[in-house]
C-alpha cells in the first residue's frame, strides 16, 4: 500500500502546480450567488414529527378543547373553559422536569396503538375538581400535597369525561380505546419511554369556576408513528366544504325565522307647548312628501327604498330599489 501514498515532495509539487494554474485558492461566491442556508440539527433530539403534522395535531386538540369546554359545565355544574396552550415535541425527560411535584398523573393505554400516553392534572385544578365532585364550591388547598388513592379514584370520574371527548376528537384518524392503566404522583417515578425519546407535549389551561390550572397530555412519537401519515391539516380545518343537503336544510330552517320590517318616513318638529296641546282629532303635518322615497329597514338595518302606495283601505310601500354596500 505504501507505493500508492504520495511523498512529501510529490504533495508539494502538486500544490505548486495548482497555484500556478490559478487554483491555489477557492473562489469566493459572487455577490449575486445564492448561498445555502445552514440549519442546526441536533442528532440527539431528531424531529420525529413534521411541522405540518404538528399543525394538524394542534387543530385536532383545539377542537377537543372546545368540546371539553361544553361537556364540563354539565358534569361539574360550574362555568368551565378549556384552552389549548401549546403543542411541542421534546425529550421525555424534559416533559417530566416541567411537571410540578407532586401532581396527579394517569397513564392511558391507546389500543390499537402500542405504548402508553400520560394525562396529567396540576394540583391547582385537581383539588378543586375533587371538591366540586364531593359537593363543595371547588376550593383549592393551602399547602401542596399528593392526591390520595381515594382522591385518584374520584378524579377518574372527571377523567372519563375528558377521555370520551378525546376519543371523539381522534375518531376521524383512528378509533382509540383509551383506558386508565396506572396512577402516579411523582413525575420522576414514571417511565413510559426512554428519557431521550421524543414525545409530544400538549398543554391546556383549565378554568372551573374561580379555580384555574394546567392539564397536559404526553404522547410518545414512537406510539404515533403508524398513523402519522394520516394527519392532514385539511381534515381539521375550520373551513370545510358543506354538503349541499346540509345547506338546503339550514336555509329551510332559516326561512321560518321572522324579522321586523319597518318603513320609515320623515317626521316633523314641534314645540313642547304644541305637543302639550295635542288632542284626539288633531292633524300633525309631516315633512315627508308623498313622492319622496321611503327607507325600509329589516331588523333595524336599512335594506330597501320604496314609494308610498295604497292597497285597498291600507297604506303600503312598494319596493323600488335595493340598498347595497355603504348605502
Amino acid at each position: 500500500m505504501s507505493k500508492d501514498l504520495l511523498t512529501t515532495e510529490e504533495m508539494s509539487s502538486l500544490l505548486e502546480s495548482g497555484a500556478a494554474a490559478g487554483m491555489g485558492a477557492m473562489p469566493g461566491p459572487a455577490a449575486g450567488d445564492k448561498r445555502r442556508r445552514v440549519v442546526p440539527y441536533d442528532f440527539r433530539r431528531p424531529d420525529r414529527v413534521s411541522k405540518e403534522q404538528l399543525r394538524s395535531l394542534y387543530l385536532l386538540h383545539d377542537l377537543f378543547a372546545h368540546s371539553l369546554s361544553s361537556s364540563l359545565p354539565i358534569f361539574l355544574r360550574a362555568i368551565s373553559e378549556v384552552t389549548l396552550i401549546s403543542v411541542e415535541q421534546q425529550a421525555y425527560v424534559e416533559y417530566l422536569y416541567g411537571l410540578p411535584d407532586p401532581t396527579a398523573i394517569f397513564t392511558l393505554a391507546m389500543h390499537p396503538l402500542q405504548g402508553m400516553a400520560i394525562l396529567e392534572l396540576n394540583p391547582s385544578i385537581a383539588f378543586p375538581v375533587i371538591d366540586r365532585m364531593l359537593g363543595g364550591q371547588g376550593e383549592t388547598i393551602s399547602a401542596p400535597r399528593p392526591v390520595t388513592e381515594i382522591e385518584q379514584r374520584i378524579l377518574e370520574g372527571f377523567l372519563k369525561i375528558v377521555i370520551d371527548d378525546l376519543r371523539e376528537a381522534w375518531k376521524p384518524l383512528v378509533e382509540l380505546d383509551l383506558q386508565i392503566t396506572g396512577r402516579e404522583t411523582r413525575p420522576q417515578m414514571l417511565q413510559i419511554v426512554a428519557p431521550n425519546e421524543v414525545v409530544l407535549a400538549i398543554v391546556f389551561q383549565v378554568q372551573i369556576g374561580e379555580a384555574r390550572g394546567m392539564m397536559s397530555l404526553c404522547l410518545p412519537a414512537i406510539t404515533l408513528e403508524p398513523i402519522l401519515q394520516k394527519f392532514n391539516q385539511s381534515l381539521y380545518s375550520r373551513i370545510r366544504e358543506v354538503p349541499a343537503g346540509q345547506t338546503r336544510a339550514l336555509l329551510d330552517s332559516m326561512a321560518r325565522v321572522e324579522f321586523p320590517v319597518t318603513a320609515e318616513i320623515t317626521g316633523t318638529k314641534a314645540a313642547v307647548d304644541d305637543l302639550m296641546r295635542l288632542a284626539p282629532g288633531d292633524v300633525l303635518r309631516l315633512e315627508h312628501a308623498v313622492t319622496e322615497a321611503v327607507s325600509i329597514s329589516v331588523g333595524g338595518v336599512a335594506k330597501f327604498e320604496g314609494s308610498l302606495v295604497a292597497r285597498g283601505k291600507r297604506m303600503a310601500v312598494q319596493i323600488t330599489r335595493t340598498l347595497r354596500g355603504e348605502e
Side-chain angles (χ1 to χ4, degrees):
M1 294 179 61
S2 60
K3 65 181 180 179
D4 297 328
L5 299 177
L6 295 177
T7 63
T8 304
E9 292 77 7
E10 291 172 332
M11 292 177 64
S12 299
S13 178
L14 286 174
L15 291 174
E16 290 173 1
S17 61
M23 300 174 57
M26 295 295 292
D33 291 347
K34 293 183 179 179
R35 299 189 180 185
R36 297 177 63 184
R37 183 171 174 235
V38 178
V39 179
Y41 187 83
D42 190 349
F43 286 91
R44 295 174 300 177
R45 292 181 51 196
D47 290 340
R48 303 285 290 274
V49 182
S50 68
K51 291 183 178 179
E52 185 72 14
Q53 292 165 341
L54 278 177
R55 174 66 176 169
S56 296
L57 276 166
Y58 187 96
L59 293 174
L60 185 154
H61 290 94
D62 187 44
L63 292 176
F64 159 70
H66 284 284
S67 176
L68 192 57
S69 297
S70 301
S71 302
L72 291 184
I74 301 173
F75 179 74
L76 296 175
R77 300 181 302 279
I79 297 175
S80 305
E81 183 178 5
V82 181
T83 307
L84 177 61
I85 301 299
S86 64
V87 177
E88 297 179 355
Q89 55 180 325
Q90 55 186 198
Y92 177 62
V93 66
E94 293 180 0
Y95 169 74
L96 293 180
Y97 285 150
L99 299 180
D101 188 4
T103 188
I105 303 175
F106 298 83
T107 56
L108 304 176
M110 303 179 63
H111 302 299
L113 300 179
Q114 301 296 321
M116 297 287 181
I118 291 176
L119 187 59
E120 178 264 343
L121 281 175
N122 281 190
S124 56
I125 195 65
F127 286 103
V129 167
I130 294 171
D131 188 53
R132 280 201 169 272
M133 294 184 67
L134 294 177
Q137 298 298 317
E139 298 179 357
T140 59
I141 59 174
S142 56
R145 64 170 178 82
V147 292
T148 64
E149 186 174 349
I150 294 177
E151 291 169 336
Q152 288 174 342
R153 294 288 183 178
I154 295 173
L155 280 176
E156 287 186 13
F158 168 80
L159 293 181
K160 184 180 183 300
I161 305 299
V162 177
I163 290 173
D164 286 346
D165 282 357
L166 188 61
R167 185 186 296 113
E168 286 297 318
W170 277 78
K171 186 173 288 186
L173 288 176
V174 61
E175 292 274 357
L176 288 180
D177 181 17
L178 299 171
Q179 300 291 336
I180 297 176
T181 59
R183 306 162 195 82
E184 185 56 68
T185 58
R186 303 291 302 277
Q188 284 70 32
M189 301 298 294
L190 188 64
Q191 293 293 332
I192 60 171
V193 290
N196 290 328
E197 187 67 41
V198 176
V199 298
L200 293 168
I202 305 166
V203 182
F204 304 89
Q205 178 178 274
V206 182
Q207 182 168 355
I208 300 174
E210 299 297 326
R212 179 180 300 178
M214 309 303 289
M215 178 179 72
S216 66
L217 179 65
C218 174
L219 303 173
I222 192 172
T223 300
L224 300 181
E225 279 186 352
I227 61 170
L228 276 180
Q229 298 305 319
K230 293 184 179 181
F231 280 96
N232 183 358
Q233 181 175 343
S234 63
L235 194 65
Y236 297 98
S237 175
R238 295 187 181 275
I239 304 176
R240 299 184 180 181
E241 183 178 352
V242 180
Q246 184 176 344
T247 303
R248 183 70 261 170
L250 178 60
L251 291 176
D252 291 342
S253 177
M254 291 292 294
R256 296 188 293 271
V257 178
E258 295 184 352
F259 289 90
V261 180
T262 57
E264 301 173 3
I265 58 178
T266 307
T268 188
K269 294 181 180 179
V272 175
D273 188 47
D274 293 335
L275 291 176
M276 296 294 292
R277 289 199 297 265
L278 284 177
D282 291 345
V283 177
L284 189 64
R285 189 179 66 181
L286 303 179
E287 303 261 347
H288 194 98
V290 176
T291 57
E292 187 178 346
V294 177
S295 175
I296 304 172
S297 300
V298 179
V301 179
K303 291 293 185 182
F304 309 98
E305 276 188 358
S307 300
L308 290 173
V309 296
R311 184 179 178 87
K313 295 183 179 181
R314 293 179 177 273
M315 183 167 48
V317 177
Q318 182 181 21
I319 295 176
T320 58
R321 189 164 75 95
T322 300
L323 300 181
R324 301 184 182 277
E326 295 77 10
E327 299 173 337

